[in-house]
């Protein structure tokens, strides 16, 4: 089963997208709907609220009087915490029940308005953010019947567009027509979400043909999301995680594959976190040469994972703290960044490697020569990881 996260500012069109995903076969777990469900008449949630806030939060028919509850619960932080302490665990429990009951192979879409605010984004292999500019959203909300000052107040209380962009693996632009956003959501589902689910199920990584593209300023943010995911999935076993390789060097053309190095204390730790990385979208690549030809004794061994998401090819190199290969991966971008001549030289080597039988192998001789030069530079400049 794949769980993806869906969010967007109020009025952006999140409900429209989640309805489209549902039509495509996704199971929608909607935070707003669940929060209402768990305090319906007859629930333990409503009983607990009455116990905490009194009978006068009820309407004559016994249903929750939301404004009355809000008046009491939003008085101060203590009352607010009391409310959250009752509702949040029930919502979490119900969410889990729904997730546990879906058939194998289902894609669950967790519709979470406050995905940024709750810090849950890194736990999803894919986060979809629906976006429209503020004025468009306000206009649409007014049309839906929300008073303007209310719409603006709610937007102010939510995360900023910039914060939402930072967690977005996919930014669905809903500036156009309703038909356009529905079409974009469908395409996303069939071209990216389903292949991602299948790749996670089978443990396949995405591979692309070697082709150099101009440096993309978005690579750093892509790498950061991968880093956040790896840290959330593997916890304290990850000593550090860094954006490395060509895509981390400003101004350098590169293959559109983001490299991230995950530093662990020992190769055994790399093996222990393999399952957690696979579950969050980065399956282990079995039998890479470096596993076989290198072991602990020469301290060049590593474990390699790849991305299951066809929309963001990536390599995750899991290496041991202090080993030469781990240090070199950190040194390499720093050295290239500081040495335009080396950068130009490397670009030539990459261009030539494109037509070689194996792109990675073809670059090896250059690396062998560059290694001592880079080490000498580190020595001379006092560079530290
Ligand atoms: P959210 O769930 O993100 O708060 P909705 O999907 O409910 O947003 O959309 C807000 C309002 O805008 C709804 O009334 C919806 O029908 C309308 N809407 C959504 N997308 C578009 C669009 N592309 N063009 C016009 N109206 C739209």
């Amino acid at each position: 089963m794949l769980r993806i996260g869906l969010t967007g500012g109020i009025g952006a069109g999140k409900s429209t997208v989640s309805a489209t995903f549902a039509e495509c076969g996704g199971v929608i777990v909607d935070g707003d709907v669940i929060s209402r469900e768990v305090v319906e008449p007859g629930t333990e949630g409503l009983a607990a609220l009455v116990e905490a806030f009194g009978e006068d939060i009820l309407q004559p028919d016994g249903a929750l009087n939301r404004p009355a509850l809000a008046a009491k619960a939003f008085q101060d932080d203590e009352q607010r915490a009391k409310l959250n302490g009752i509702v949040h665990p029930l919502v979490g429990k119900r969410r889990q029940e729904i997730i546990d009951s879906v058939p194998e192979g289902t894609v669950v879409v967790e519709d979470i308005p406050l995905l940024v605010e709750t810090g849950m984004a890194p736990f999803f292999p894919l986060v979809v953010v629906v976006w429209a500019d503020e004025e468009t959203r306000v206009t649409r909300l007014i049309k839906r019947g929300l008073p303007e000052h209310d719409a603006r107040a709610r937007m102010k209380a939510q995360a900023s567009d910039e914060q939402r962009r930072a967690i977005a693996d996919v930014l669905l632009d809903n500036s156009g027509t309703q038909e356009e956003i529905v079409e974009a959501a469908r395409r996303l589902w069939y071209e990216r979400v389903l292949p991602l689910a299948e790749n996670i199920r089978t443990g396949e990584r995405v591979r692309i043909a070697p082709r150099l593209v101009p440096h993309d300023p978005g690579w750093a943010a892509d790498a950061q999301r991968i880093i956040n995911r790896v840290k959330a999935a593997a916890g304290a076993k990850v000593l550090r995680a860094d954006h490395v390789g060509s895509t981390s060097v400003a101004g350098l053309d590169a293959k559109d594959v983001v490299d991230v190095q995950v530093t662990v204390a020992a190769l055994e730790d790399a093996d222990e976190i393999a399952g957690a990385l696979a579950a969050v979208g980065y399956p282990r690549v079995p039998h890479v040469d470096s596993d076989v030809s290198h072991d602990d004794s020469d301290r060049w061994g590593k474990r390699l994972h790849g991305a299951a998401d066809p929309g963001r090819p990536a390599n995750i190199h899991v290496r041991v703290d202090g080993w030469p290969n781990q240090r070199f991966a950190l040194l390499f971008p720093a050295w290239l960044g500081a040495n335009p001549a080396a950068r130009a030289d490397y670009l030539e080597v990459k261009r030539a490697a494109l037509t070689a039988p194996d792109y990675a192998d073809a670059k090896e001789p250059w690396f062998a020569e560059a290694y001592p030069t880079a080490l000498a530079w580190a020595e001379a400049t006092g560079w530290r990881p």
Side-chain angles (χ1 to χ4, degrees), residues 28 86 219:
I28 313 299
I86 293 169
W219 281 333

Side-chain angles (χ1 to χ4, degrees), residues 7-18 30 32 111 113 130 132 136-137 139-145 158 173-182:
T7 195
I10 179 170
K14 191 168 55 65
S15 312
T16 312
V17 170
S18 89
D30 183 330
D32 284 346
D111 180 332
V130 188
T136 306
R137 291 158 60 197
T139 309
R140 288 177 187 164
L141 289 171
I142 292 171
K143 221 164 156 189
R144 199 170 67 180
Q158 292 187 340
D173 183 352
N174 186 18
S175 308
T177 66
Q178 199 115 11
E179 289 72 35
E180 282 169 336
I181 188 68
V182 167

